[in-house]
Amino acid sequence: MADTDDIETSTYTIEGPEGETDDLELPPGLIDLLREGNETQSEVIGDMALISFVQQAHAAVHHSQGEADPQITAIEEKSRELFEERLGITFEEATGHSH
């Protein structure tokens, strides 16, 4: 088994619309495992962030107790639209999960 000390990492910076930032350290090899075609590492990170957010919104609307708040439902629907625009497939197609 490889020693984790031998794995290099790179720092990626996420910047919000108001200029706030957060740094994320990842092994570039992990990003390369998820890369399709000639995507940049930043595009892969963006795709993965979007997928994660849409999964969380989906769970909040479809897999929690009771009726979802209409505002949360609208946010989830908009997130799915953005997912499809960016990735070219629906959330259902990407996950094999639909309601």
Side-chain angles (χ1 to χ4, degrees), residues 43-58:
E43 288 172 324
V44 174
I45 292 169
D47 290 350
M48 295 307 298
L50 180 59
I51 290 166
S52 179
F53 277 108
V54 174
Q55 286 175 328
Q56 294 301 313
H58 174 83

Side-chain angles (χ1 to χ4, degrees), residues 31-72:
I31 299 167
D32 292 339
L33 285 173
L34 303 170
R35 185 184 295 194
E36 294 181 3
N38 56 356
E39 287 180 301
T40 67
Q41 289 183 338
S42 294
E43 288 172 324
V44 174
I45 292 169
D47 290 350
M48 295 307 298
L50 180 59
I51 290 166
S52 179
F53 277 108
V54 174
Q55 286 175 328
Q56 294 301 313
H58 174 83
V61 170
H62 299 286
H63 298 282
S64 57
Q65 297 288 340
E67 191 74 23
D69 179 279
Q71 181 67 20
I72 301 298

Side-chain angles (χ1 to χ4, degrees), residues 54-88:
V54 174
Q55 286 175 328
Q56 294 301 313
H58 174 83
V61 170
H62 299 286
H63 298 282
S64 57
Q65 297 288 340
E67 191 74 23
D69 179 279
Q71 181 67 20
I72 301 298
T73 300
I75 290 169
E76 189 257 353
E77 289 173 6
K78 182 63 174 182
S79 299
R80 290 159 52 111
E81 288 174 13
L82 295 169
F83 181 98
E84 189 169 349
E85 287 174 20
R86 181 173 175 122
L87 299 176

